[in-house]
Amino acid sequence: MNFEFILVENQYAPQIALVRLNRPKELNALNLQLMLELKKALQDLDEDEEVRCIIITGNQQAFAAGADIKQMENKTAIDLLKIDQFETWDQIRKTKKPIIAAVSGFALGGGCELAMTCDMIVASETAKFGQPEIKIGIMPGAGGTQRLTRAVGKALAMEMVLTGKFISAEEALKAGLINKVVPEELYLNEAVKLATEVCAMSPIATRLAKESVNKAFETGLQEGLFFERKNFYMSFTSEDQKEGMSAFVEKRKPDFKGK
Ligand code: DAK
């Protein structure tokens, strides 16, 4: 499918899909069409047997500077209710395959929220994270008050959300928001390296594990442990479990088929 505001590439390896947000002049501001395209691309990639890991990136200047303010400026609450963009965001969050955000430059508002919706974040030294919605008279609406707070704790989340201040990649790393910081010329390579590691694992175990870690944000401990246990048992129904364990015993590399 041809998209207008994103590019879907797989130049690194057939198992790694790269989704590039592509509105460079607008710093990749997330308009409604871009979000629908992203949803569609992720749904397609989730169904593509060959793909094992997805990277979402922007360009060096911006991952995304937020939702498109010009598109939102004259909307009423009822307009937003009718558009129901939450359905799109929820669908993106439901992607079963692991997603890595490769962030350089601005990751602000919806851009920061999109990165946090991903499973891991690799950033360039020039990345800036922020929830500046407060400066335009609104507040975060796609998880910013919830995911940011769970990731960095109340003190920093409150400061970012109430003042709109940006934090650097180094601060984001220290605060536990992101996984890695590397020089700007390496951030995409680093994301591909991480994706390559993920791709070498059993896709079934990966899916079950992702689902289980995400459950930790949605339930109490007992329910979470119960969910984990079920997924753990389920991993023993896969051929990949037999392959993984016999490869260990035979001192060779496993060849996981996703079965
Ligand atoms: N929307 C639209 N256009 C944007 C934009 C944005 N968020 N950010 C930048 N641009 C555009 C600028 O308007 C400018 O376009 P022209 O004026 O040249 O046509 C171009 O990109 C370059 O930007 P600047 O000239 O401003 O570049 P600077 O380097 O001087 O500044 C900046 C970069 C990132 C600091 C600045 O552009 C800025 O402050 N941008 C806005 C950041 C922001 O406030 N982000 C939060 C937006 S609110 C929801 C889901 C999500 C959301 C809401 C609801 N639902 C599920 C319902 C999310 C809301 C938000 O993200």
Side-chain angles (χ1 to χ4, degrees), residues 25-27 29 65-70 85-86 89 106 108-110 132 142:
K25 277 200 221 116
E26 294 82 7
L27 303 179
D68 191 324
I69 299 171
K70 292 167 192 165
Q85 241 211 311
F86 291 110
W89 284 77
F106 298 110
L108 306 177

Side-chain angles (χ1 to χ4, degrees), residues 76-134:
T76 66
I78 301 302
D79 293 334
L80 296 179
L81 188 77
K82 284 187 185 157
I83 295 167
D84 190 17
Q85 241 211 311
F86 291 110
E87 194 276 326
T88 307
W89 284 77
D90 287 346
Q91 198 55 50
I92 289 172
R93 188 177 58 83
K94 285 183 192 150
T95 308
K96 296 176 195 84
K97 290 178 185 162
I99 309 181
I100 299 169
V103 176
S104 179
F106 298 110
L108 306 177
C112 186
E113 291 172 316
L114 178 61
M116 290 191 291
T117 304
C118 298
D119 302 305
M120 292 183 273
I121 304 176
V122 172
S124 110
E125 281 166 350
T126 61
K128 292 175 196 64
F129 297 85
Q131 297 290 160
E133 289 90 338
I134 201 83

